[in-house]
Amino acid sequence: MALHGKVALVTGAVQGLGKGFSEILLQKGAKVALLDINESGGKDLKAAFDKEYGPDRTLFLTCTVESEEQLKDAFQKTVETFGGLDIVCNNAGIIDETNWEKCVSINLNGVVRGTYLALKHMKKENRGQGGVIINVASMAGLGPLLTAPIYTATKHGVVGFSRAMADVSRLCDYGVRINVLCPAFVQTAILSSLGSEGTTGQFAGLRGVAEKLLEQFGVLEVSEVAKNFLKLVTDESRNGEALLVQKEGASYVTFPQVASQLPSILAPSL
Ligand SMILES: NC(=O)C1=CN([C@@H]2O[C@H](COP(=O)(O)OP(=O)(O)OC[C@H]3O[C@@H](n4cnc5c(N)ncnc54)[C@H](O)[C@@H]3O)[C@@H](O)[C@H]2O)C=CC1
Ligand SMILES: CCCCCC(=O)/C=C/C=C\C/C=C\C/C=C\CCCC(=O)O
């Protein structure tokens, strides 16, 4: 998929990975709607991107992925401004084991909401032109992060939901690929939550285990993850894939083949 002139929407775009994903899309010629709850940061980022890439290439929209109405309006505004939608990255996420319902609301419900809205605008049966959705999970979507069981659950949820929706899209011929990105630790603000009492609450005492994982896996730079994000966006042969990104490299995850045991009527082309 060539990105020049394509329209992208990224949630949680103001800093960290979302900023990195937005910037690499801009470098490849796409237009990007930047969605975030951080209004002042969003305005500053848009001003910086305007200088670097030109004023018509981005749109900043204040929006929480917790609100169906705000997210729906942001998708609509993006389509009206840029004339279509080709790429959606559901990236916004937090760690908060003390307010765990909020963590589920942002990390899982927000991704479901963003995926359904993306399909509404992009799928062929709605006269959309197809496209690609990248949902951001984590390595904690593939194994346990002990200081953050709810975070772990939301990220496993994002992996399962994305894989299921990719198969739905293939079977129903939506023309939309859905892939999920699973980075290990990345140098962003969220990393300071590793063992902090404020976000990990009753599990803060397990910070030593999380620190051991950090020592074992190291810390990625945003740019390393962004390069792999781009692969998932552009490689048209990839649908329903989970890409694990670690310091030593990236690899597509192999899952148990339970689908092959289903009656073929349920999974004719899996
Ligand atoms: N940094 C890391 O080690 C890893 C991060 N991830 C995931 O990557 C994604 C991005 O995280 P980072 O860039 O590291 O974090 P970050 O904290 O640097 O950035 C998160 C962005 O999301 C925005 N945001 C938070 N709540 C929001 C909401 N309700 N609606 C819209 N925007 C909201 C924030 O304002 C911020 O701009 C998250 O889903 C995170 O779980 C996955 C694996 C590793
Ligand atoms: C609190 C900081 C969390 C930062 C965000 C994040 O999602 C980072 C996750 C990175 C990796 C650790 C996650 C889970 C561990 C998964 C598997 C461990 C398997 C260990 C093994 O068997 O080798």
Side-chain angles (χ1 to χ4, degrees), residues 95 138-140 143-145 151 184-185 190 193-194 213 216:
I95 296 188
S138 159
M139 190 170 152
L145 182 59
Y151 181 80
F185 299 103
I190 214 173
S193 311
L194 196 59
L213 274 183
Q216 185 183 339

Side-chain angles (χ1 to χ4, degrees), residues 190-212:
I190 214 173
L191 254 197
S192 58
S193 311
L194 196 59
S196 97
E197 195 106 26
T199 50
T200 56
Q202 61 181 310
F203 308 107
L206 295 168
R207 67 175 64 88
V209 183
E211 280 161 9
K212 283 231 167 65

Side-chain angles (χ1 to χ4, degrees), residues 26-46:
L26 287 166
Q27 285 163 356
K28 298 292 172 190
K31 297 171 191 165
V32 186
L34 313 159
L35 276 54
D36 207 291
I37 47 170
N38 179 352
E39 184 161 13
S40 63
K43 287 179 177 161
D44 290 349
L45 182 65
K46 170 151 175 59

Side-chain angles (χ1 to χ4, degrees), residues 39-114:
E39 184 161 13
S40 63
K43 287 179 177 161
D44 290 349
L45 182 65
K46 170 151 175 59
F49 281 161
D50 283 355
K51 265 196 192 157
E52 187 72 28
Y53 303 102
D56 301 331
R57 298 281 305 284
T58 57
L59 173 67
F60 171 68
L61 298 165
T62 310
C63 166
T64 171
V65 298
E66 289 192 89
S67 160
E68 172 76 22
E69 198 186 342
Q70 287 182 24
L71 202 56
K72 191 174 161 201
D73 288 351
F75 271 77
Q76 191 60 38
K77 189 84 198 289
T78 302
V79 170
E80 281 167 15
T81 306
F82 291 138
L85 186 62
D86 306 287
I87 301 157
V88 170
C89 176
N90 291 302
N91 162 75
I94 62 163
I95 296 188
D96 194 343
E97 300 294 314
T98 60
N99 188 355
W100 64 265
E101 281 147 321
K102 190 173 179 73
C103 189
V104 175
S105 171
I106 294 175
N107 293 12
L108 182 56
N109 300 1
V111 169
V112 172
R113 220 170 262 128

